[in-house]
Amino acid sequence: MAGLKVVELAGIGPGPMAAMLLADMGATVLRIDRPDPPELGMSRPLKYNLTLRGRRTLALDLKQPAARELALRLVDGADALIEGFRPGVAERLGLGPDDCLARNPRLAYGRMTGWGQDGPLAPAAGHDLNYIALTGALHHIGRQGQPPTAPLNLVGDYGGGALYLAFGLVCAVLEARGSGRGQVVDAAIVDGVAHLMTGMFGLFGAGLLPEGRGEGVIDGGAPYYDCYECADGRYVSVAPIEGRFFQELLRRIGIDPADFPKQSDRARWPEAKRRLAEIFRQRPRDAWCELLEGTDSCFAPVLTPAEALRHKHMAARRTFVEFDGVAQPAPAPRFSRTVPELSLPPQPADPAGAEAALAGWLPEAEIAALRAAGTLGQAG
């Protein structure tokens, strides 16, 4: 994506992640942040705010006319824009779709929200957990008889949000190259998560997705698709859905498949799960790894992030890399010829970096004039 230019109006969660995805693939992304970014309750050194990697940051008070005009000036030369405000906020700032497309008719204008740009909930506040709850996704995440479990913010913010916004922007940019016309990409997390649930709704329509939590094949109800505690208190995962793989697992852990409940016998799932739990508690996790890892048992240890960084498979594939002294995931997916590389660690939103942020976007004389006028980094 080298040559693609993206303006990012700073937000939280899925917006920055989408911008990171584009930057990881070589796009030139310029993040416009407040001179005094808000504290969100998870304070950390900037170098660890990893979704801000790959682009420079420009501090602007967009409520000031000169700063707003500078943002529009940057839109003039952009292929895409990302904003994650509540519906109507960008319009009130003078940076809504009509304002930006009037300046750049080819612009892909990406809007990231939880509820979407319209609908009865559109104006309301919300977060990842709320969005996945409304789509039906959260209902099946958790144990039978227990409340739903929050799956970090991977399903909503990142899966249904950031990935869909990035994909939508790429689609809109490609379409604009043929038509010469830009458009708005309305990326709502509820829409993205619902789309991720397409297969699940197919199972639901066919009557194959149980109504209860933790009662199905892939939500922890089946004994052959679950996690088990080991002798050392750590866990392993097993997922041999196919019959031949399930028999492979049983044989390797010392069970004659003929003496074990049939895989399809739901009435005996609790019994089968108890027997597997008893066996896995007999050895520490690493002993099970030695026996099962790399076989067709569909097995993997449940690792902590620290352990994942050191695992031999992850190391062999360089799934994680160290950049600016911080271990972090490498860009994904992989390409055989155009290999993406990390370019910049997270950058501060301060006036000192304004010239570097604008380089490649505006002529040097224009940057100097903005500095002289006090537009760069003004706090309002």
Side-chain angles (χ1 to χ4, degrees):
M1 299 184 71
L4 189 79
K5 299 178 77 172
V6 182
V7 172
E8 174 195 3
L9 303 182
I12 61 172
M17 179 71 172
M20 186 203 80
L21 292 170
L22 299 175
D24 278 358
M25 294 297 115
T28 299
V29 182
L30 177 56
R31 177 178 170 88
I32 298 178
D33 206 348
R34 305 180 193 180
D36 52 345
E39 173 52 55
L40 300 175
M42 298 182 70
S43 180
R44 59 193 148 170
L46 178 62
K47 66 187 293 185
Y48 296 106
N49 198 349
L50 295 178
T51 59
L52 300 186
R53 74 189 187 190
R55 66 264 199 204
R56 297 195 181 276
T57 301
L58 179 66
L60 287 180
D61 180 2
L62 293 175
K63 295 180 180 179
Q64 301 300 315
R68 182 166 56 251
E69 178 56 33
L70 172 54
L72 289 169
R73 177 72 179 86
L74 295 169
V75 166
D76 290 343
D79 298 286
L81 178 143
I82 292 172
E83 67 94 353
F85 304 128
R86 288 202 208 191
V89 172
E91 284 83 351
R92 291 195 294 273
L93 288 171
L95 293 168
D98 291 345
D99 305 295
C100 292
L101 285 164
R103 298 285 295 254
N104 181 354
R106 298 171 60 92
L107 184 72
Y109 190 105
R111 315 200 79 170
M112 184 76 259
T113 59
W115 307 116
Q117 295 297 316
D118 52 32
L121 296 178
H127 277 298
D128 179 291
L129 192 64
N130 310 126
Y131 310 137
I132 68 173
L134 199 71
T135 61
L138 182 60
H139 174 76
H140 283 280
I141 301 175
R143 291 292 177 184
Q144 186 177 19
Q146 297 294 319
T149 298
L152 303 179
N153 68 329
L154 301 178
V155 177
D157 280 353
Y158 296 153
L163 289 172
Y164 277 84
L165 176 57
F167 175 65
L169 285 172
V170 171
C171 291
V173 168
L174 289 175
E175 196 281 337
R177 289 177 177 175
S179 69
R181 299 172 60 194
Q183 59 185 308
V184 175
V185 179
D186 177 2
I189 295 174
V190 290
D191 296 344
V193 175
H195 195 252
L196 288 175
M197 288 281 288
T198 299
M200 296 301 102
F201 274 93
L203 292 175
F204 172 76
L208 298 176
L209 185 67
E211 182 69 21
R213 183 177 311 109
E215 297 178 1
V217 171
I218 58 173
D219 64 356
Y224 51 85
Y225 200 92
D226 207 350
C227 297
Y228 292 95
E229 186 177 10
C230 304
D232 53 3
R234 296 188 286 183
Y235 286 81
V236 296
S237 69
V238 293
I241 296 177
E242 297 86 350
R244 67 185 187 279
F245 295 155
F246 184 50
Q247 292 189 20
E248 171 87 359
L249 172 68
L250 294 179
R251 285 192 293 266
R252 286 184 176 273
I253 64 177
I255 295 177
D256 183 348
D259 295 332
F260 198 79
K262 290 185 178 180
Q263 194 170 1
S264 60
D265 190 349
R266 286 176 176 261
R268 297 186 68 187
W269 275 5
E271 174 194 347
K273 187 169 288 195
R274 284 194 298 271
R275 287 183 61 182
L276 289 175
E278 290 170 0
I279 289 174
F280 280 112
R281 278 196 294 265
Q282 293 173 5
R283 301 185 189 184
R285 188 193 67 188
D286 289 351
W288 290 118
C289 289
E290 186 175 347
L291 179 67
L292 298 172
E293 202 165 19
T295 73
D296 281 351
S297 301
C298 301
F299 166 94
V302 178
L303 302 181
T304 67
E307 290 173 323
L309 290 171
R310 302 190 301 266
H311 190 273
K312 61 185 179 181
H313 183 79
M314 300 302 205
R317 287 186 57 80
R318 298 194 78 242
T319 300
F320 298 101
V321 296
E322 185 170 305
F323 185 69
D324 193 38
V326 180
Q328 55 196 284
R334 308 293 179 88
F335 298 86
S336 63
R337 182 172 54 82
T338 54
V339 181
E341 295 182 358
L342 297 181
S343 57
L344 284 171
Q347 301 291 297
D350 58 37
E355 283 87 350
L358 290 172
W361 288 82
L362 301 177
E364 290 185 10
E366 190 171 346
I367 297 172
L370 290 166
R371 169 65 70 193
T375 302
L376 303 182
Q378 62 182 1

